[in-house]
Amino acid sequence: MNDRLKKGFFLGLGAAAYGKEKVQTYVDDLVSKGKITPREAEQWKEELIQRGQAAESEWSGQAKEKVQDSFRDLGLATENDIEQLQEKLEIIEKKLERLEQSGTDNETE
């Protein structure tokens, strides 16, 4: 599972880098042909990159949800589960400490 996550992550990075290069090449080509001005090219490039980042962010969110669902299906504890258990353990430890102290107090009487 970990290997799949790594491969997916690197695939996303590669696609993003490749996508930016392609956008730049395409925009440069349009400018050299005189179809758009350099200023329009810059605005258009930024817009395309922003759209790509939004799509990537959406995809990342969906991938994260799928991974979390997989972990849940496997019965693995989440960070929230562990934090809740730690809080409960602290409460139990404090109660035990109070019981031990009250037992010590009763023995001295």
Side-chain angles (χ1 to χ4, degrees), residues 48-87:
L48 288 173
I49 289 172
Q50 286 175 358
R51 285 184 186 178
Q53 288 171 341
E56 181 183 353
S57 176
E58 182 181 334
W59 181 83
S60 294
Q62 291 172 352
K64 183 178 179 180
E65 287 177 22
K66 287 191 182 285
V67 169
Q68 287 174 342
D69 289 344
S70 296
F71 285 172
R72 212 171 297 118
D73 291 345
L74 291 171
L76 299 175
T78 64
E79 188 175 341
N80 189 35
D81 293 337
I82 294 169
E83 287 175 4
Q84 288 177 353
L85 287 172
Q86 286 175 331
E87 289 173 7

Side-chain angles (χ1 to χ4, degrees), residues 15-106:
Y18 179 75
K20 285 183 181 179
E21 286 178 23
K22 279 295 196 183
V23 166
Q24 185 64 50
T25 302
Y26 181 67
V27 168
D28 289 345
D29 187 47
L30 290 175
V31 170
S32 68
K33 290 180 180 178
K35 294 189 177 189
I36 59 174
T37 66
R39 183 174 178 198
E40 290 172 326
E42 193 60 35
Q43 290 172 343
W44 203 56
K45 182 182 81 169
E46 289 301 317
E47 183 181 336
L48 288 173
I49 289 172
Q50 286 175 358
R51 285 184 186 178
Q53 288 171 341
E56 181 183 353
S57 176
E58 182 181 334
W59 181 83
S60 294
Q62 291 172 352
K64 183 178 179 180
E65 287 177 22
K66 287 191 182 285
V67 169
Q68 287 174 342
D69 289 344
S70 296
F71 285 172
R72 212 171 297 118
D73 291 345
L74 291 171
L76 299 175
T78 64
E79 188 175 341
N80 189 35
D81 293 337
I82 294 169
E83 287 175 4
Q84 288 177 353
L85 287 172
Q86 286 175 331
E87 289 173 7
K88 288 179 181 180
L89 183 59
E90 287 175 15
I91 291 169
I92 291 170
E93 287 174 339
K94 287 177 184 176
K95 286 182 180 180
L96 181 60
E97 190 176 303
R98 283 195 302 266
L99 283 172
E100 287 174 346
Q101 287 177 352
S102 67
T104 306
D105 292 342
N106 288 339

